[in-house]
Amino acid sequence: DAGVTQSPTHLIKTRGQHVTLRCSPISGHKSVSWYQQVLGQGPQFIFQYYEKEERGRGNFPDRFSARQFPNYSSELNVNALLLGDSALYLCASSLGSGVKQFFGPGTRLTVL
Amino acid sequence: KNEVEQSPQNLTAQEGEFITINCSYSVGISALHWLQQHPGGGIVSLFMLSSGKKKHGRLIATINIQEKHSSLHITASHPRDSAVYICAVHDNTDKLIFGTGTRLQVFP
């Protein structure tokens, strides 16, 4: 079985641009969560989606948005990129809330 | 003060040594995870526990809910155990809160 997949693996953008990151969960998993991991720190929670509805949002500005599609895949969008948005963006899927999460390999975003 | 604190931040060991990584948290939780992150970023979930103790191979995780403390032990450590080990808790809103990680290096 395929694990959680994310695309792209690496991305370079300039300040002010917009980016879309994609995540495909493990088959059968209905919950997708997004995390931002800045170099040298632990991941920070951004969003959780379950059955296409937002179930939780971390302390991130409105420039960050996400959605979940009928096939449970998900997109994370970041507008008006700042240098501080440079990070590893991790997606994790699970069967539901409060259960073991399975992480994707991440997308490394560099903002110049 | 972070809601999830880990110690030590960095740890070096000789192959074969017994290793302990500690995690303390200050919020109410429904479960605690121990995660392993290798260079390049990929995260693997090692354990999810809400009470007691779990064992998988050379890895043992314990949690004391009353003391809000968990430990990850590695017996007979090996260079391939070198990684960052992260403690994360599900708070009562089901959000995952992560520690900053413990960087472990095991030398042959």
Side-chain angles (χ1 to χ4, degrees), chain B residues 23-83:
Chain B
C23 174
S24 296
Y25 53 91
S26 58
V27 296
I29 70 166
S30 57
L32 181 144
H33 297 256
W34 281 102
L35 309 167
Q36 182 191 56
Q37 186 170 33
H38 280 282
I43 289 181
V44 173
S45 179
L46 299 174
F47 295 103
M48 177 177 168
L49 64 167
S50 53
S51 65
K53 175 179 173 178
K54 286 191 176 180
K55 184 175 189 293
H56 182 70
R58 295 180 294 107
L59 302 178
I60 303 166
T62 63
I63 187 169
N64 185 317
I65 296 293
Q66 286 73 31
E67 294 187 4
K68 295 190 173 181
H69 181 269
S70 175
S71 293
L72 176 68
H73 306 285
I74 305 175
T75 61
S77 60
H78 190 275
R80 65 174 174 266
D81 296 327
S82 298

Side-chain angles (χ1 to χ4, degrees), chain A residues 35 37 42-43 45 97-98 100, chain B residues 37 45 48 94-96 98-99:
Chain A
Y35 302 91
Q37 186 177 26
F45 171 73
S97 296
K100 185 174 179 177
Chain B
Q37 186 170 33
S45 179
M48 177 177 168
D94 203 39
K95 185 176 65 176
L96 259 186
F98 295 79

Side-chain angles (χ1 to χ4, degrees), chain A residues 20 31 50 65 67 72 74 86 99:
Chain A
T20 297
S31 178
Y50 179 74
S65 63
R67 55 180 176 167
Y72 303 113
S74 178
S86 295
V99 296

Side-chain angles (χ1 to χ4, degrees), chain A residues 18-19 21 34-36 44-47 49 54 57-67 75-82 84-87 89 109:
Chain A
H18 160 270
V19 69
L21 311 180
W34 286 96
Y35 302 91
Q36 180 197 64
Q44 298 286 322
F45 171 73
I46 310 176
F47 286 109
Y49 276 78
E54 183 182 304
R57 183 186 182 112
N59 189 23
F60 280 81
D62 291 343
R63 298 185 297 109
F64 288 76
S65 63
R67 55 180 176 167
E75 283 182 355
L76 175 70
N77 295 284
V78 187
N79 292 324
L81 285 167
L82 303 174
D85 295 331
S86 295
Y89 288 85
L109 171 65

Side-chain angles (χ1 to χ4, degrees), chain A residues 13-47:
Chain A
K13 292 284 190 178
T14 56
R15 280 180 299 173
Q17 285 189 311
H18 160 270
V19 69
T20 297
L21 311 180
R22 295 178 175 84
C23 172
S24 292
I26 291 172
S27 178
H29 285 191
K30 298 181 178 180
S31 178
V32 169
S33 298
W34 286 96
Y35 302 91
Q36 180 197 64
Q37 186 177 26
V38 173
L39 195 63
Q41 298 182 19
Q44 298 286 322
F45 171 73
I46 310 176
F47 286 109

